[in-house]
CSV table of all heavy atoms in Angstrom, one decimal:
chain,number,residue,atom,x,y,z
A,1,GLY,N,14.0,-6.4,-0.7
A,1,GLY,CA,13.7,-7.8,-0.2
A,1,GLY,C,12.3,-8.1,-0.2
A,1,GLY,O,11.5,-7.2,-0.4
A,2,PRO,N,11.9,-9.4,0.0
A,2,PRO,CA,10.5,-9.6,0.0
A,2,PRO,C,9.8,-8.9,1.3
A,2,PRO,O,10.4,-9.0,2.3
A,2,PRO,CB,10.5,-11.2,0.3
A,2,PRO,CG,11.8,-11.6,0.0
A,2,PRO,CD,12.7,-10.5,0.2
A,3,GLN,N,8.8,-8.3,1.0
A,3,GLN,CA,8.0,-7.6,2.1
A,3,GLN,C,6.5,-7.7,1.6
A,3,GLN,O,6.0,-7.9,0.6
A,3,GLN,CB,8.4,-6.0,2.0
A,3,GLN,CG,9.8,-5.9,2.5
A,3,GLN,CD,10.3,-4.6,2.7
A,3,GLN,OE1,9.4,-3.8,3.5
A,3,GLN,NE2,11.3,-4.1,2.2
A,4,LEU,N,5.6,-7.6,2.7
A,4,LEU,CA,4.3,-7.6,2.7
A,4,LEU,C,3.7,-6.3,3.5
A,4,LEU,O,4.1,-6.1,4.6
A,4,LEU,CB,3.7,-8.9,3.3
A,4,LEU,CG,2.1,-8.9,3.5
A,4,LEU,CD1,1.5,-9.0,2.2
A,4,LEU,CD2,1.9,-10.2,4.4
A,5,PHE,N,2.8,-5.6,2.8
A,5,PHE,CA,2.3,-4.6,3.7
A,5,PHE,C,0.7,-4.7,3.6
A,5,PHE,O,0.2,-5.3,2.6
A,5,PHE,CB,2.6,-3.2,3.2
A,5,PHE,CG,2.2,-2.8,1.7
A,5,PHE,CD1,1.0,-2.2,1.4
A,5,PHE,CD2,3.1,-3.2,0.7
A,5,PHE,CE1,0.7,-1.9,0.2
A,5,PHE,CE2,2.7,-2.8,-0.7
A,5,PHE,CZ,1.7,-2.2,-0.9
A,6,HIS,N,0.0,-4.5,4.7
A,6,HIS,CA,-1.4,-4.6,4.7
A,6,HIS,C,-2.0,-3.8,5.8
A,6,HIS,O,-1.3,-3.3,6.7
A,6,HIS,CB,-1.7,-6.2,4.9
A,6,HIS,CG,-1.3,-6.7,6.2
A,6,HIS,ND1,-2.0,-6.7,7.3
A,6,HIS,CD2,-0.1,-7.3,6.5
A,6,HIS,CE1,-1.4,-7.4,8.3
A,6,HIS,NE2,-0.3,-7.7,7.9
A,7,CYS,N,-3.3,-3.8,5.8
A,7,CYS,CA,-4.1,-3.1,6.9
A,7,CYS,C,-5.2,-4.1,7.3
A,7,CYS,O,-5.3,-5.3,6.8
A,7,CYS,CB,-4.5,-1.8,6.5
A,7,CYS,SG,-5.7,-1.7,5.2
A,8,SER,N,-6.0,-3.7,8.1
A,8,SER,CA,-7.2,-4.6,8.7
A,8,SER,C,-8.0,-5.1,7.5
A,8,SER,O,-8.4,-6.3,7.6
A,8,SER,CB,-7.9,-4.1,9.8
A,8,SER,OG,-8.5,-2.8,9.3
A,9,ALA,N,-8.4,-4.2,6.6
A,9,ALA,CA,-9.3,-4.8,5.5
A,9,ALA,C,-8.5,-4.9,4.2
A,9,ALA,O,-9.1,-5.5,3.3
A,9,ALA,CB,-10.5,-3.8,5.3
A,10,GLY,N,-7.3,-4.3,4.1
A,10,GLY,CA,-6.5,-4.4,2.9
A,10,GLY,C,-6.9,-3.5,1.8
A,10,GLY,O,-6.7,-3.9,0.5
A,11,LYS,N,-7.7,-2.5,2.0
A,11,LYS,CA,-8.1,-1.6,0.9
A,11,LYS,C,-8.0,-0.3,1.0
A,11,LYS,O,-7.7,0.6,0.1
A,11,LYS,CB,-9.6,-1.8,0.8
A,11,LYS,CG,-10.6,-1.4,2.0
A,11,LYS,CD,-12.0,-1.6,1.6
A,11,LYS,CE,-12.9,-1.0,2.7
A,11,LYS,NZ,-12.8,0.3,2.9
A,12,ASP,N,-7.9,0.4,2.2
A,12,ASP,CA,-7.8,1.9,2.5
A,12,ASP,C,-6.3,2.2,2.6
A,12,ASP,O,-5.7,2.9,1.7
A,12,ASP,CB,-8.7,2.3,3.5
A,12,ASP,CG,-10.2,2.1,3.3
A,12,ASP,OD1,-10.6,2.3,2.1
A,12,ASP,OD2,-10.8,1.5,4.1
A,13,ARG,N,-5.8,1.9,3.8
A,13,ARG,CA,-4.3,2.2,4.0
A,13,ARG,C,-3.5,1.4,3.0
A,13,ARG,O,-2.5,2.0,2.4
A,13,ARG,CB,-3.9,1.9,5.4
A,13,ARG,CG,-4.6,2.9,6.4
A,13,ARG,CD,-4.5,2.5,7.8
A,13,ARG,NE,-5.5,1.4,8.0
A,13,ARG,CZ,-5.9,0.8,9.2
A,13,ARG,NH1,-5.3,1.4,10.2
A,13,ARG,NH2,-6.7,-0.2,9.2
A,14,THR,N,-3.8,0.2,2.8
A,14,THR,CA,-3.1,-0.6,1.8
A,14,THR,C,-3.1,0.0,0.4
A,14,THR,O,-2.1,0.0,-0.4
A,14,THR,CB,-3.5,-2.0,1.9
A,14,THR,OG1,-3.3,-2.6,3.2
A,14,THR,CG2,-2.9,-2.8,0.9
A,15,GLY,N,-4.4,0.3,0.0
A,15,GLY,CA,-4.7,1.0,-1.3
A,15,GLY,C,-3.8,2.2,-1.5
A,15,GLY,O,-3.4,2.5,-2.5
A,16,TRP,N,-3.8,3.0,-0.4
A,16,TRP,CA,-3.1,4.3,-0.5
A,16,TRP,C,-1.6,4.0,-0.6
A,16,TRP,O,-0.9,4.7,-1.5
A,16,TRP,CB,-3.3,5.1,0.9
A,16,TRP,CG,-2.7,6.4,0.9
A,16,TRP,CD1,-1.8,6.9,1.7
A,16,TRP,CD2,-2.8,7.6,-0.1
A,16,TRP,NE1,-1.3,8.2,1.5
A,16,TRP,CE2,-2.0,8.6,0.4
A,16,TRP,CE3,-3.5,7.7,-1.3
A,16,TRP,CZ2,-1.8,9.8,-0.2
A,16,TRP,CZ3,-3.3,8.9,-2.0
A,16,TRP,CH2,-2.5,10.0,-1.5
A,17,VAL,N,-1.1,3.1,0.1
A,17,VAL,CA,0.4,2.8,-0.1
A,17,VAL,C,0.7,2.2,-1.6
A,17,VAL,O,1.6,2.7,-2.2
A,17,VAL,CB,0.9,1.8,1.0
A,17,VAL,CG1,2.3,1.3,0.7
A,17,VAL,CG2,0.9,2.5,2.3
A,18,ALA,N,-0.3,1.4,-1.9
A,18,ALA,CA,0.0,0.9,-3.3
A,18,ALA,C,-0.1,2.0,-4.4
A,18,ALA,O,0.7,2.0,-5.3
A,18,ALA,CB,-1.2,-0.2,-3.7
A,19,ALA,N,-1.0,2.8,-4.2
A,19,ALA,CA,-1.2,4.0,-5.1
A,19,ALA,C,0.0,4.9,-5.1
A,19,ALA,O,0.5,5.4,-6.1
A,19,ALA,CB,-2.4,4.9,-4.8
A,20,LEU,N,0.7,5.1,-3.9
A,20,LEU,CA,1.9,5.9,-3.8
A,20,LEU,C,3.0,5.1,-4.5
A,20,LEU,O,3.8,5.8,-5.2
A,20,LEU,CB,2.2,6.1,-2.3
A,20,LEU,CG,1.3,7.1,-1.5
A,20,LEU,CD1,1.7,7.1,-0.1
A,20,LEU,CD2,1.2,8.5,-2.2
A,21,LEU,N,3.1,3.8,-4.3
A,21,LEU,CA,4.3,3.1,-5.0
A,21,LEU,C,4.1,3.2,-6.5
A,21,LEU,O,5.1,3.3,-7.2
A,21,LEU,CB,4.3,1.6,-4.4
A,21,LEU,CG,4.6,1.5,-2.9
A,21,LEU,CD1,4.4,-0.1,-2.6
A,21,LEU,CD2,6.2,1.7,-2.9
A,22,LEU,N,2.8,3.1,-6.9
A,22,LEU,CA,2.7,3.1,-8.4
A,22,LEU,C,3.0,4.6,-8.9
A,22,LEU,O,3.6,4.6,-10.0
A,22,LEU,CB,1.2,2.8,-8.7
A,22,LEU,CG,0.8,1.2,-8.5
A,22,LEU,CD1,-0.7,1.0,-8.8
A,22,LEU,CD2,1.6,0.4,-9.5
A,23,HIS,N,2.6,5.6,-8.2
A,23,HIS,CA,3.0,6.8,-8.5
A,23,HIS,C,4.6,7.0,-8.6
A,23,HIS,O,5.2,7.5,-9.5
A,23,HIS,CB,2.5,7.9,-7.6
A,23,HIS,CG,2.9,9.3,-7.8
A,23,HIS,ND1,2.4,10.1,-8.9
A,23,HIS,CD2,3.9,10.0,-7.2
A,23,HIS,CE1,3.0,11.2,-8.8
A,23,HIS,NE2,4.0,11.2,-7.9
A,24,VAL,N,5.3,6.6,-7.7
A,24,VAL,CA,6.7,6.6,-7.6
A,24,VAL,C,7.3,5.9,-8.8
A,24,VAL,O,8.3,6.3,-9.3
A,24,VAL,CB,7.3,5.9,-6.3
A,24,VAL,CG1,8.7,5.8,-6.3
A,24,VAL,CG2,6.9,6.9,-5.0
A,25,ALA,N,6.6,4.8,-9.1
A,25,ALA,CA,7.2,4.0,-10.3
A,25,ALA,C,6.9,4.6,-11.6
A,25,ALA,O,7.3,4.1,-12.6
A,25,ALA,CB,6.5,2.6,-10.2
């Protein structure tokens, strides 16, 4: 479903999650 993930600056924790998702893909 539609989801949004973010953190306070949108670069560190968000960047880590995005990197993990790309790895999984």
Side-chain angles (χ1 to χ4, degrees):
Q3 296 189 50
L4 167 71
F5 61 93
H6 65 89
C7 61
S8 55
K11 64 178 185 63
D12 299 314
R13 292 166 288 190
T14 298
W16 181 237
V17 169
L20 293 174
L21 289 170
L22 290 171
H23 173 79
V24 168

